[in-house]
């Protein structure tokens, strides 16, 4: 299991009962804080959507969705969602949400192509959220403002977890640092994107990397993004490209950077057309979601996903996401994790 991170002298600080209680505490507290910070209404979300409407999240464009036929729809194919990035925007329009308000929901997904390790599971659970914004708010400064409010909710949750379980010690810094992916490349030109994230997170503790999806000065992407939800190609007011990014922290248990959230200001009509062209996906203009966006039938928005099991893993100082959630793991990984003191559920 070459991808398994094996922390030396790891010992779970909470037993099974405390862990389950802690998961409940963290999930209930954080989602209430997130809702209050961003003025979000909770909604019910689908586990699957019809294939061919352009509603499912395409992630990096190569991951296969779990698909099945629906008997009562003449065997039309349905797909288990990868995330709800585009579904949420349709819902904002349907519910006629006004600027300054939004929605959040529990998103559950199956990602069959995930490479399994301490952070990646076949089962993905996250809080998917989306809020309506104005044209004037499509700026890096507004993106940073929202990131700071989300980070404040994360820090409050850490305080609660550490107050509840005295054996836990807080480690998140008071402030989150902002850096553009182009800056990271200039700072560490000889490192891979992942190594750059490790280096900057080790230094600052919590970082928001801006501008993910477009090619950088070296002709490579920091990471992949689908062309039809985050806006990664618009020139921002600071002179750099991109209105999206990732919230990353330095996680001392695993001695590495740790992504908690991917988020961003969503594409408007111009950005959608530009990004579809860049990625050679212009045929998507004929899909249901894309037609509605191009017809100005969807609101401008900002949104993202925050990993539920990942947040609980960090708050409870666990070394493997399988200590938080029930999933399927290779037998060898289960045995190795048990020997390392991190038994998987």
């Amino acid at each position: 299991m070459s991808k398994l991170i094996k922390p030396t002298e790891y010992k779970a600080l909470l037993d099974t009962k405390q862990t389950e209680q802690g998961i409940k505490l963290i999930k209930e507290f954080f989602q209430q804080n997130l809702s209050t910070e961003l003025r979000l209404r909770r909604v019910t979300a689908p586990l699957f959507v019809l294939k061919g409407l352009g509603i499912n999240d395409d992630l990096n464009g190569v991951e296969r969705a779990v698909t099945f036929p629906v008997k009562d729809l003449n065997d039309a194919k349905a797909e288990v969602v990868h995330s709800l990035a585009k579904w949420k925007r349709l819902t904002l329009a349907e519910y006629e949400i006004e600027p300054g308000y939004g929605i959040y929901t529990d998103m559950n997904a199956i990602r069959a192509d995930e490479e399994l390790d301490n952070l990646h599971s076949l089962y993905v659970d996250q809080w998917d959220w989306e809020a309506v914004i104005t044209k004037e708010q499509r700026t890096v400064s507004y993106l940073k403002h929202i990131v700071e409010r989300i980070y404040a909710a994360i820090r409050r949750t850490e305080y609660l977890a550490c107050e509840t379980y005295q054996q836990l010690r807080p480690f998140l810094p008071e402030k989150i640092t902002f850096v553009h992916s182009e800056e990271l490349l200039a700072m560490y030109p000889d490192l891979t994107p992942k190594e750059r994230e490790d280096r900057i997170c080790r230094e600052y503790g919590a970082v928001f990397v801006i501008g993910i999806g477009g090619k950088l000065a070296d002709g490579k992407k920091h990471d992949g993004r689908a062309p039809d939800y985050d806006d990664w190609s618009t020139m921002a007011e600071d002179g750099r490209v991109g209105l999206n990014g990732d919230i990353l922290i330095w996680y001392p248990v695993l001695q590495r950077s740790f992504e908690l959230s991917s988020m961003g200001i969503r594409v408007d009509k111009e950005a959608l057309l530009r990004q579809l062209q860049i990625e050679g996906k212009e045929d998507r203009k004929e899909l249901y979601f894309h037609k509605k966006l191009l017809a100005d039938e969807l609101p401008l928005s900002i949104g993202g996903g925050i990993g539920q099991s990942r947040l609980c893993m960090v708050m409870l100082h666990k070394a493997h996401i399988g200590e938080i959630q029930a999933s399927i793991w290779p037998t060898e990984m289960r045995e190795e994790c048990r020997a390392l003191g991190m038994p998987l559920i």
Side-chain angles (χ1 to χ4, degrees):
M1 306 309 307
S2 60
K3 289 188 175 295
L4 184 66
I5 302 172
K6 306 171 185 178
T8 57
E9 300 180 359
Y10 171 73
K11 186 179 187 306
L13 299 179
L14 304 181
D15 61 27
T16 303
K17 180 180 178 181
Q18 290 174 318
T19 297
E20 293 290 359
Q21 291 173 335
I23 292 170
K24 180 176 182 291
L25 177 76
I26 290 163
K27 288 187 175 183
E28 290 179 348
F29 182 82
F30 179 78
Q31 69 180 335
Q32 186 60 53
N33 271 260
L34 180 70
S35 172
T36 303
E37 280 284 353
L38 303 184
R39 295 193 288 188
L40 307 175
R41 176 201 308 174
R42 192 188 186 285
V43 298
T44 300
L47 177 61
F48 40 80
V49 294
L50 283 175
K51 184 177 182 179
L53 297 180
I55 297 176
N56 203 357
D57 181 356
D58 297 295
L59 300 176
N60 293 312
V62 296
E63 295 87 349
R64 299 170 299 167
V66 175
T67 307
F68 60 92
V70 182
K71 187 177 79 169
D72 277 2
L73 294 178
N74 297 318
D75 281 346
K77 294 293 179 63
E79 296 179 333
V80 176
V81 297
H82 276 144
S83 86
L84 298 168
K86 289 177 277 191
W87 176 88
K88 290 177 296 181
R89 202 162 172 186
L90 291 167
T91 303
L92 290 177
E94 181 181 349
Y95 288 5
E96 299 181 344
I97 304 294
E98 296 181 359
Y101 296 87
I103 59 173
Y104 81 95
T105 191
D106 291 304
M107 191 287 299
N108 297 284
I110 301 171
R111 296 184 181 171
D113 289 334
E114 201 73 86
E115 294 185 1
L116 307 181
D117 58 23
N118 302 62
L119 306 184
H120 296 90
S121 170
L122 297 175
Y123 170 60
V124 177
D125 56 341
Q126 64 185 35
W127 291 285
D128 251 321
W129 65 273
E130 199 85 9
V132 178
I133 61 175
T134 65
K135 183 178 180 179
E136 293 71 28
Q137 290 172 323
R138 299 190 78 257
T139 65
V140 170
S141 56
Y142 187 74
L143 174 65
K144 290 180 178 180
H145 169 68
I146 296 298
V147 169
E148 288 172 339
R149 296 179 76 166
I150 293 172
Y151 185 68
I154 292 172
R155 284 249 302 155
R156 282 196 294 273
T157 306
E158 181 189 45
Y159 175 78
L160 175 66
C162 292
E163 281 292 293
T164 304
Y165 303 105
Q166 296 292 306
Q167 59 269 52
L168 304 177
R169 292 289 181 267
F171 60 86
L172 293 176
E174 182 179 351
K175 303 288 185 182
I176 188 167
T177 298
F178 294 92
V179 63
H180 196 281
S181 55
E182 201 72 72
E183 291 180 272
L184 270 185
L185 174 60
M187 292 164 66
Y188 312 117
D190 298 326
L191 301 183
T192 66
K194 179 64 183 66
E195 290 169 340
R196 290 174 216 148
E197 291 179 353
D198 285 345
R199 185 71 66 86
I200 198 76
C201 286
R202 181 190 288 272
E203 182 175 354
Y204 292 103
V207 178
F208 185 75
V209 178
I210 304 171
I212 297 178
K215 290 182 179 179
L216 304 177
D218 63 353
K220 300 176 183 178
K221 299 178 180 180
H222 183 83
D223 200 356
R225 282 291 189 278
D228 42 19
Y229 56 100
D230 280 356
D231 186 340
W232 43 258
S233 64
T234 290
M235 185 68 72
E237 76 271 19
D238 63 357
R240 298 185 184 276
V241 173
L243 294 172
N244 70 340
D246 290 341
I247 295 177
L248 306 169
I249 63 165
W250 178 254
Y251 190 40
V253 175
L254 297 179
Q255 289 292 296
R256 56 158 289 169
S257 59
F258 192 113
E259 180 187 320
L260 287 176
S261 176
S262 173
M263 57 174 288
I265 290 171
R266 307 309 197 184
V267 291
D268 57 10
K269 182 162 55 177
E270 290 73 25
L272 174 65
L273 291 172
R274 180 170 55 252
Q275 292 178 185
L276 290 179
Q277 183 180 37
I278 291 172
E279 296 296 311
K281 303 288 186 181
E282 292 177 283
D283 56 319
R284 293 189 186 180
K285 291 188 290 186
E286 301 305 314
L287 298 175
Y288 172 76
F289 170 84
H290 303 71
K291 281 184 174 180
K292 290 186 76 68
L293 180 53
L294 293 172
D296 294 318
E297 295 176 7
L298 302 179
L300 298 175
S301 67
I302 183 172
I306 302 166
Q308 295 189 14
S309 290
R310 283 197 175 197
L311 184 67
C312 292
M313 180 180 168
V314 167
M315 296 293 107
L316 301 178
H317 299 197
K318 299 293 186 178
H320 197 292
I321 199 167
E323 296 179 84
I324 296 294
Q325 56 158 252
S327 186
I328 298 174
W329 306 98
T331 301
E332 308 94 287
M333 182 179 283
R334 282 192 174 275
E335 292 174 352
E336 193 165 8
C337 286
R338 186 180 299 110
L340 292 167
M342 44 187 187
L344 309 185
I345 296 175

